[in-house]
Amino acid sequence: MQGWALKRSHRRDRKKKLIAYGVSTAVVAGAAITGLAVASPGPATANTKPAGPGSALQAGVPARRARFVLNGRRGLIAAVVAVLLVLGVGAGVWYINSGQFTHVPAVIGQSESAAKKRLEDAGLSVKKVDRRYSDTVKRGTVIQTDPETGARVRGNASVTVVVSRGPEMVKVPDVGGKSLDDAKKALAAAGLTPGAVTEEFNEDTDQGSVISTAPAAGAPRRADTAVALVVSKGAPVEVPGVVGDSVEDATSALKDAGLEVRIAPEQVNSPQEAGSIAAQSAAESSSLAKGDTVTLTVSKGPRMVTVPKVTGEKTDDARKDLEKAGFKVKVDHGFPFLSDEIASQSVEAGSQAPEGSTITIKTKGL
């Protein structure tokens, strides 16, 4: 019995020593971990006393409190970090599996512009637009997409849109009597392209309205081919002659005929008196459409030209020289006719005369 009690006493003493060692070790470790959080020693001074043998045990209570606070803070931080890691991993897994994907929205039956907008709103781009003939789907309407509606694709994927061109063969619509703009719209709506436009006078069709098409209305035509249009210029207007008239009289005469008038900015020399009309852009008695513009040029008066000497020349040579200088020529044959040689001229050689004026030359006679 005494031996068993002695062994039990030794085990109690060893346990106490181990507990004491553990406490001291924990204090030292806590101080090392907490650093300045447990003790914030200042710089060593001469008054600093070395720690005595019981200092570690004396500091045990504060050290345990500091360690408790520190461990609590570390636990909170660790919990927050763990939550963030879980959220981050979860978000990454979601993005890899689902977040970077979307589905092609339903755009079949929509117009081309509306389909493009809806695809772009879904984060997709239109790679290209194909066009196909269709007897059942209205022209300009989306027939299908590639990938198809509802397909799972990446968020920045491209989609090909197929748009209807309407029936492959269409009939030329009747656009007679319509304005040119309305006629073009009607052709486009039928799946045809407006072609060349020509104009002609027509008393039965209002000016600016379509007279006919080529091919004629009702003719079958392959879709997207061109149709020529003939547009009415209205009833023809005969242009009055106004050369030599004053600007006021000329303008009035042209406006009364249904024409517009423009005065040229520069005046010119002409046989007409200064201030009168020297020229008009549309010839007298020619035909224009109502509302067309005629440009009038005002005269600065005739240009003065030096008269050449033609006496002694043959009649034909004298005529050529005077006309070349800008004059009109009148020949007076002397009586009795003795020679084809020019004996005199109405305006003395070397003098100035208005360009376009008439000079009379006379052959030799008695």
Side-chain angles (χ1 to χ4, degrees):
M1 290 292 292
Q2 291 180 355
W4 178 82
L6 183 60
K7 288 180 180 180
R8 187 176 181 183
S9 176
H10 283 307
R11 283 197 293 269
R12 283 199 299 266
D13 291 342
R14 187 184 299 173
K15 189 175 181 180
K16 289 179 180 180
K17 289 179 180 180
L18 289 173
I19 292 172
Y21 177 77
V23 170
S24 62
T25 302
V27 170
V28 174
I33 292 171
T34 57
L36 295 177
V38 175
S40 302
T45 62
N47 295 325
T48 303
K49 294 181 180 181
S55 58
L57 292 176
Q58 293 173 1
V61 174
R64 283 198 298 273
R65 291 178 180 173
R67 184 175 61 180
F68 177 77
V69 173
L70 179 61
N71 287 341
R73 290 178 178 174
R74 285 181 175 176
L76 179 59
I77 293 172
V80 172
V81 170
V83 171
L84 292 177
L85 284 174
V86 170
L87 291 176
V89 170
V93 171
W94 174 83
Y95 179 75
I96 292 172
N97 292 332
S98 302
Q100 61 179 327
F101 292 95
T102 186
H103 294 85
V104 177
V107 296
I108 294 175
Q110 296 184 6
S111 66
E112 181 180 342
S113 59
K116 285 182 177 180
K117 185 177 186 305
R118 180 154 188 197
L119 289 169
E120 290 170 355
D121 290 344
L124 303 173
S125 61
V126 177
K127 182 179 181 181
K128 66 176 180 177
V129 177
D130 289 337
R131 302 185 187 277
R132 298 178 190 171
Y133 294 112
S134 173
D135 292 330
T136 58
V137 181
K138 182 181 177 182
R139 179 182 177 86
T141 303
V142 175
I143 301 173
Q144 68 180 71
T145 59
D146 183 20
E148 64 184 8
T149 300
R152 187 168 179 261
V153 294
R154 291 188 179 275
N156 58 351
S158 297
V159 178
T160 297
V161 177
V162 182
V163 178
S164 172
R165 299 174 72 173
E168 187 170 3
M169 295 298 293
V170 297
K171 290 184 178 181
V172 178
D174 184 1
V175 295
K178 293 181 179 290
S179 67
L180 180 58
D181 286 343
D182 288 345
K184 287 182 176 180
K185 290 177 182 177
L187 290 173
L192 299 168
T193 302
V197 177
T198 57
E199 294 182 324
E200 63 181 42
F201 293 112
N202 188 294
E203 295 183 357
D204 298 325
T205 305
D206 292 339
Q207 186 176 11
S209 297
V210 174
I211 301 171
S212 61
T213 59
R221 194 74 169 168
R222 186 175 293 276
D224 295 319
T225 54
V227 175
L229 296 161
V230 181
V231 179
S232 174
K233 295 168 69 175
V237 175
E238 184 176 347
V239 179
V242 294
V243 173
D245 293 351
S246 67
V247 173
E248 184 179 354
D249 290 344
T251 300
S252 178
L254 291 168
K255 284 187 175 293
D256 289 345
L259 302 170
E260 298 297 322
V261 178
R262 174 181 174 270
I263 305 298
E266 295 184 1
Q267 297 184 355
V268 297
N269 291 111
S270 80
Q272 308 302 325
E273 293 182 2
S276 62
I277 302 302
Q280 58 187 79
S281 59
E284 182 178 356
S285 298
S286 62
S287 295
L288 292 179
K290 184 177 180 180
D292 283 351
T293 299
V294 177
T295 300
L296 302 177
T297 304
V298 179
S299 175
K300 293 195 296 185
R303 182 168 64 95
M304 301 304 289
V305 180
T306 300
V307 178
K309 179 178 180 301
V310 294
T311 54
E313 296 180 359
K314 297 296 184 179
T315 302
D316 288 344
D317 293 337
R319 183 190 294 275
K320 289 179 182 179
D321 288 343
L322 289 170
E323 288 178 348
K324 184 177 179 181
F327 298 106
K328 296 176 182 178
V329 179
K330 179 181 177 182
V331 178
D332 182 8
H333 294 284
F335 183 82
F337 179 75
L338 300 177
S339 172
D340 192 36
E341 183 178 320
I342 299 301
S344 63
Q345 57 189 77
S346 61
V347 180
E348 185 180 353
S351 60
Q352 298 283 310
E355 183 180 23
S357 59
T358 300
I359 295 179
T360 302
I361 53 178
K362 187 174 182 180
T363 60
K364 285 186 177 181
L366 293 179

